[in-house]
Short mmCIF file of all heavy atoms in Angstrom, two decimals:
data_model
loop_
_atom_site.label_atom_id
_atom_site.label_comp_id
_atom_site.label_asym_id
_atom_site.label_seq_id
_atom_site.Cartn_x
_atom_site.Cartn_y
_atom_site.Cartn_z
N GLN A 123 24.42 -5.04 -14.84
CA GLN A 123 24.28 -6.15 -15.76
C GLN A 123 24.01 -7.46 -15.04
O GLN A 123 24.29 -8.52 -15.68
CB GLN A 123 25.56 -6.21 -16.64
CG GLN A 123 25.82 -5.00 -17.47
CD GLN A 123 27.05 -5.12 -18.31
OE1 GLN A 123 27.87 -5.97 -18.16
NE2 GLN A 123 27.14 -4.20 -19.29
N GLN A 124 23.50 -7.43 -13.84
CA GLN A 124 23.14 -8.64 -13.18
C GLN A 124 21.90 -9.32 -13.88
O GLN A 124 21.80 -10.50 -13.96
CB GLN A 124 22.84 -8.41 -11.68
CG GLN A 124 24.03 -7.92 -10.94
CD GLN A 124 23.67 -7.64 -9.47
OE1 GLN A 124 23.10 -8.47 -8.77
NE2 GLN A 124 24.08 -6.50 -8.97
N ILE A 125 20.97 -8.45 -14.27
CA ILE A 125 19.75 -8.99 -15.00
C ILE A 125 20.17 -9.59 -16.27
O ILE A 125 19.63 -10.64 -16.76
CB ILE A 125 18.72 -7.87 -15.15
CG1 ILE A 125 18.20 -7.37 -13.82
CG2 ILE A 125 17.58 -8.30 -16.07
CD1 ILE A 125 17.23 -6.24 -13.88
N ASP A 126 21.11 -8.92 -17.04
CA ASP A 126 21.56 -9.48 -18.29
C ASP A 126 22.26 -10.85 -18.07
O ASP A 126 22.11 -11.74 -18.90
CB ASP A 126 22.55 -8.51 -18.95
CG ASP A 126 21.92 -7.24 -19.30
OD1 ASP A 126 20.67 -7.20 -19.53
OD2 ASP A 126 22.60 -6.17 -19.35
N ALA A 127 22.96 -10.98 -16.99
CA ALA A 127 23.61 -12.27 -16.69
C ALA A 127 22.58 -13.37 -16.45
O ALA A 127 22.74 -14.50 -16.91
CB ALA A 127 24.54 -12.13 -15.52
N LEU A 128 21.49 -12.99 -15.76
CA LEU A 128 20.43 -14.03 -15.51
C LEU A 128 19.81 -14.51 -16.81
O LEU A 128 19.52 -15.68 -17.02
CB LEU A 128 19.37 -13.44 -14.60
CG LEU A 128 19.71 -13.29 -13.13
CD1 LEU A 128 18.62 -12.54 -12.38
CD2 LEU A 128 19.93 -14.66 -12.41
N GLU A 129 19.58 -13.50 -17.71
CA GLU A 129 18.96 -13.85 -18.99
C GLU A 129 19.82 -14.69 -19.88
O GLU A 129 19.43 -15.59 -20.60
CB GLU A 129 18.49 -12.59 -19.71
CG GLU A 129 17.33 -11.84 -18.95
CD GLU A 129 17.02 -10.58 -19.62
OE1 GLU A 129 17.82 -10.08 -20.45
OE2 GLU A 129 15.91 -9.98 -19.26
N ILE A 130 21.14 -14.40 -19.78
CA ILE A 130 22.14 -15.23 -20.58
C ILE A 130 22.18 -16.69 -20.06
O ILE A 130 22.29 -17.61 -20.90
CB ILE A 130 23.51 -14.56 -20.45
CG1 ILE A 130 23.58 -13.28 -21.24
CG2 ILE A 130 24.61 -15.60 -20.94
CD1 ILE A 130 24.85 -12.53 -21.03
N MET A 131 21.89 -16.82 -18.74
CA MET A 131 21.91 -18.24 -18.27
C MET A 131 20.59 -18.92 -18.48
O MET A 131 20.34 -20.05 -18.01
CB MET A 131 22.19 -18.08 -16.64
CG MET A 131 23.58 -17.76 -16.30
SD MET A 131 23.92 -17.88 -14.54
CE MET A 131 22.89 -16.66 -13.90
N GLY A 132 19.63 -18.27 -19.14
CA GLY A 132 18.37 -18.87 -19.50
C GLY A 132 17.37 -18.69 -18.47
O GLY A 132 16.32 -19.37 -18.62
N VAL A 133 17.46 -17.84 -17.48
CA VAL A 133 16.54 -17.65 -16.38
C VAL A 133 15.58 -16.50 -16.86
O VAL A 133 16.04 -15.47 -17.39
CB VAL A 133 17.23 -17.25 -15.09
CG1 VAL A 133 16.20 -16.93 -13.98
CG2 VAL A 133 18.21 -18.29 -14.65
N ASN A 134 14.33 -16.70 -16.54
CA ASN A 134 13.32 -15.66 -16.86
C ASN A 134 13.44 -14.63 -15.69
O ASN A 134 12.93 -14.74 -14.67
CB ASN A 134 11.90 -16.25 -16.89
CG ASN A 134 10.87 -15.19 -17.21
OD1 ASN A 134 11.13 -14.01 -17.34
ND2 ASN A 134 9.62 -15.63 -17.39
N ALA A 135 14.28 -13.62 -15.97
CA ALA A 135 14.62 -12.63 -14.95
C ALA A 135 13.40 -11.90 -14.40
O ALA A 135 13.38 -11.55 -13.24
CB ALA A 135 15.68 -11.68 -15.48
N ALA A 136 12.45 -11.56 -15.33
CA ALA A 136 11.33 -10.82 -14.93
C ALA A 136 10.45 -11.65 -13.88
O ALA A 136 10.02 -11.13 -12.88
CB ALA A 136 10.45 -10.48 -16.07
N CYS A 137 10.32 -12.90 -14.19
CA CYS A 137 9.53 -13.77 -13.24
C CYS A 137 10.28 -14.01 -12.01
O CYS A 137 9.76 -13.99 -10.84
CB CYS A 137 9.22 -15.05 -13.97
SG CYS A 137 8.24 -16.24 -12.98
N TYR A 138 11.63 -14.24 -12.10
CA TYR A 138 12.44 -14.55 -10.91
C TYR A 138 12.49 -13.37 -9.96
O TYR A 138 12.55 -13.56 -8.76
CB TYR A 138 13.82 -15.00 -11.34
CG TYR A 138 14.76 -15.26 -10.28
CD1 TYR A 138 14.61 -16.44 -9.45
CD2 TYR A 138 15.84 -14.44 -10.04
CE1 TYR A 138 15.51 -16.70 -8.43
CE2 TYR A 138 16.75 -14.70 -8.96
CZ TYR A 138 16.55 -15.75 -8.20
OH TYR A 138 17.51 -16.04 -7.19
N LEU A 139 12.65 -12.15 -10.49
CA LEU A 139 12.88 -10.99 -9.66
C LEU A 139 11.66 -10.28 -9.29
O LEU A 139 11.57 -9.76 -8.14
CB LEU A 139 13.82 -9.99 -10.36
CG LEU A 139 15.31 -10.48 -10.72
CD1 LEU A 139 15.98 -9.52 -11.54
CD2 LEU A 139 16.01 -10.79 -9.44
N ILE A 140 10.67 -10.15 -10.17
CA ILE A 140 9.51 -9.36 -9.89
C ILE A 140 8.32 -10.12 -9.26
O ILE A 140 7.68 -9.57 -8.36
CB ILE A 140 9.03 -8.72 -11.24
CG1 ILE A 140 10.13 -7.83 -11.81
CG2 ILE A 140 7.76 -7.89 -11.04
CD1 ILE A 140 9.80 -7.22 -13.17
N LEU A 141 8.06 -11.34 -9.66
CA LEU A 141 6.85 -12.10 -9.17
C LEU A 141 6.90 -12.19 -7.67
O LEU A 141 5.87 -12.03 -7.03
CB LEU A 141 6.75 -13.41 -9.90
CG LEU A 141 5.56 -14.26 -9.54
CD1 LEU A 141 4.27 -13.49 -9.88
CD2 LEU A 141 5.60 -15.63 -10.27
N PRO A 142 8.05 -12.59 -7.04
CA PRO A 142 8.05 -12.77 -5.57
C PRO A 142 7.78 -11.33 -4.89
O PRO A 142 7.14 -11.37 -3.80
CB PRO A 142 9.47 -13.22 -5.25
CG PRO A 142 9.95 -13.91 -6.50
CD PRO A 142 9.29 -13.05 -7.60
N LYS A 143 8.19 -10.29 -5.48
CA LYS A 143 7.97 -8.94 -4.87
C LYS A 143 6.40 -8.68 -4.91
O LYS A 143 5.86 -8.17 -3.90
CB LYS A 143 8.68 -7.87 -5.68
CG LYS A 143 10.20 -8.03 -5.55
CD LYS A 143 10.91 -6.89 -6.27
CE LYS A 143 12.39 -7.02 -6.32
NZ LYS A 143 13.07 -7.11 -4.98
N ILE A 144 5.79 -8.91 -6.04
CA ILE A 144 4.39 -8.61 -6.18
C ILE A 144 3.56 -9.47 -5.24
O ILE A 144 2.74 -8.96 -4.48
CB ILE A 144 3.90 -8.86 -7.65
CG1 ILE A 144 4.62 -7.79 -8.60
CG2 ILE A 144 2.42 -8.75 -7.77
CD1 ILE A 144 4.22 -7.99 -10.07
N LEU A 145 3.80 -10.75 -5.25
CA LEU A 145 3.10 -11.64 -4.36
C LEU A 145 3.32 -11.45 -2.97
O LEU A 145 2.44 -11.51 -2.06
CB LEU A 145 3.44 -13.12 -4.72
CG LEU A 145 3.02 -13.54 -6.17
CD1 LEU A 145 3.40 -15.04 -6.34
CD2 LEU A 145 1.52 -13.42 -6.36
N GLY A 146 4.59 -11.14 -2.57
CA GLY A 146 4.91 -10.84 -1.18
C GLY A 146 4.22 -9.60 -0.64
O GLY A 146 3.67 -9.59 0.45
N LEU A 147 4.22 -8.53 -1.43
CA LEU A 147 3.51 -7.33 -0.96
C LEU A 147 2.05 -7.45 -0.94
O LEU A 147 1.37 -6.97 -0.01
CB LEU A 147 3.92 -6.18 -1.87
CG LEU A 147 3.54 -4.76 -1.40
CD1 LEU A 147 4.26 -4.50 -0.06
CD2 LEU A 147 3.93 -3.63 -2.35
N ILE A 148 1.45 -8.18 -1.90
CA ILE A 148 0.02 -8.41 -1.95
C ILE A 148 -0.45 -9.23 -0.63
O ILE A 148 -1.48 -9.03 -0.04
CB ILE A 148 -0.37 -9.12 -3.22
CG1 ILE A 148 -0.40 -8.22 -4.38
CG2 ILE A 148 -1.85 -9.70 -3.08
CD1 ILE A 148 -0.65 -8.81 -5.67
N THR A 149 0.44 -10.15 -0.25
CA THR A 149 0.13 -10.96 0.93
C THR A 149 0.19 -10.18 2.19
O THR A 149 -0.68 -10.37 3.05
CB THR A 149 1.14 -12.16 0.96
OG1 THR A 149 1.14 -12.94 -0.17
CG2 THR A 149 0.81 -13.11 2.14
N ILE A 150 1.20 -9.38 2.37
CA ILE A 150 1.40 -8.68 3.63
C ILE A 150 0.63 -7.38 3.76
O ILE A 150 0.40 -6.94 4.89
CB ILE A 150 2.95 -8.39 3.83
CG1 ILE A 150 3.34 -8.21 5.27
CG2 ILE A 150 3.37 -7.20 3.04
CD1 ILE A 150 3.15 -9.46 6.14
N MET A 151 0.21 -6.76 2.64
CA MET A 151 -0.52 -5.48 2.73
C MET A 151 -1.77 -5.51 3.53
O MET A 151 -1.98 -4.60 4.37
CB MET A 151 -0.70 -4.91 1.39
CG MET A 151 -1.18 -3.46 1.36
SD MET A 151 0.05 -2.31 2.01
CE MET A 151 1.06 -2.04 0.59
N PRO A 152 -2.68 -6.49 3.35
CA PRO A 152 -3.88 -6.53 4.21
C PRO A 152 -3.55 -6.62 5.65
O PRO A 152 -4.28 -6.07 6.48
CB PRO A 152 -4.61 -7.82 3.71
CG PRO A 152 -4.14 -8.01 2.28
CD PRO A 152 -2.65 -7.50 2.31
N ILE A 153 -2.52 -7.33 6.05
CA ILE A 153 -2.14 -7.38 7.49
C ILE A 153 -1.69 -6.00 8.00
O ILE A 153 -2.06 -5.57 9.06
CB ILE A 153 -1.00 -8.40 7.63
CG1 ILE A 153 -1.49 -9.80 7.19
CG2 ILE A 153 -0.55 -8.47 9.11
CD1 ILE A 153 -0.38 -10.88 7.25
#
Side-chain angles (χ1 to χ4, degrees):
Q123 300 181 345
Q124 297 180 50
I125 294 178
D126 297 333
L128 287 173
E129 293 175 347
I130 290 174
M131 291 187 295
V133 177
N134 184 352
C137 181
Y138 176 71
L139 296 174
I140 299 176
L141 185 60
K143 296 181 185 298
I144 294 177
L145 296 180
L147 192 60
I148 287 176
T149 302
I150 201 68
M151 189 64 82
I153 300 175

